[in-house]
């Protein structure tokens, strides 16, 4: 059986590849996901599956640190993507995963989008 850090590393890697079925294979049936201060998805795998249909393709992504505290794992990283107008969009993330019996029960995602500096 994988430890919590290994589970979250596989989940983040699958998210970054937009492989939602692998993500869901590591999730509880009532998984919750949200962006504090922005929105929360309805609980359950189907809500997560539907949400990911609208996620834009990523041009590159990296996983940074994974920090474990019992059944919670925080994972950081970087995502480069293209917005609906074809413009590059970069963001940095820190996701907090709560696990139950080796499955992801809750994800709180914090994202910061890179701001273009005036030239």
């Amino acid at each position: 059986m994988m430890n919590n850090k290994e589970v979250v590393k596989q989940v983040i890697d699958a998210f970054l590849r937009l492989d939602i079925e692998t993500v869901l294979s590591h999730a509880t049936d009532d998984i919750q996901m949200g962006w504090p201060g922005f929105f929360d998805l309805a609980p359950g795998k189907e809500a997560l599956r539907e949400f990911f249909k609208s996620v834009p393709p990523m041009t590159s992504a990296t996983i940074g640190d994974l920090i474990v505290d019992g059944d919670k794992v925080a994972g950081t990283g970087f995502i480069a993507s293209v917005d609906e107008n074809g413009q590059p969009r970069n963001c940095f993330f820190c996701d907090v995963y709560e696990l139950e019996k080796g499955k992801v029960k809750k994800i709180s995602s914090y994202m910061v989008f890179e701001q273009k500096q005036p030239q």
Side-chain angles (χ1 to χ4, degrees):
M1 183 173 181
M2 289 186 287
N3 65 37
N4 288 343
K5 184 176 183 178
E6 293 166 333
V7 169
V8 169
K9 185 174 185 325
Q10 285 196 5
V11 169
I12 294 174
D13 183 60
F15 269 131
L16 297 178
R17 290 183 285 110
L18 297 179
D19 178 1
I20 190 61
E21 295 309 316
T22 296
V23 171
L24 296 177
S25 74
H26 293 290
T28 62
D29 288 338
D30 61 346
I31 186 169
Q32 296 176 297
M33 184 170 182
W35 288 258
F38 189 53
F39 70 88
D40 292 310
L41 298 178
K45 291 182 176 183
E46 196 55 39
L48 197 56
R49 184 180 283 115
E50 282 301 310
F51 172 77
F52 268 84
K53 289 179 180 178
S54 66
V55 173
M58 297 173 213
T59 56
S60 68
T62 57
I63 298 173
D65 295 320
L66 295 171
I67 302 164
V68 181
D69 183 15
D71 286 335
K72 291 185 180 182
V73 180
T76 66
F78 170 80
I79 298 169
S81 64
V82 177
D83 70 16
E84 61 277 355
N85 298 317
Q87 296 299 310
R89 188 161 197 200
N90 299 326
C91 75
F92 303 88
F93 67 86
C94 180
D95 294 340
V96 179
Y97 294 79
E98 295 180 32
L99 291 92
E100 179 179 89
K101 298 179 184 172
K103 296 271 189 178
V104 178
K105 183 166 184 65
K106 183 177 180 183
I107 305 169
S108 298
S109 185
Y110 302 86
M111 300 183 86
V112 175
F113 289 92
E114 185 174 68
Q115 302 296 309
K116 299 290 182 198
Q117 298 297 319
Q119 298 194 14

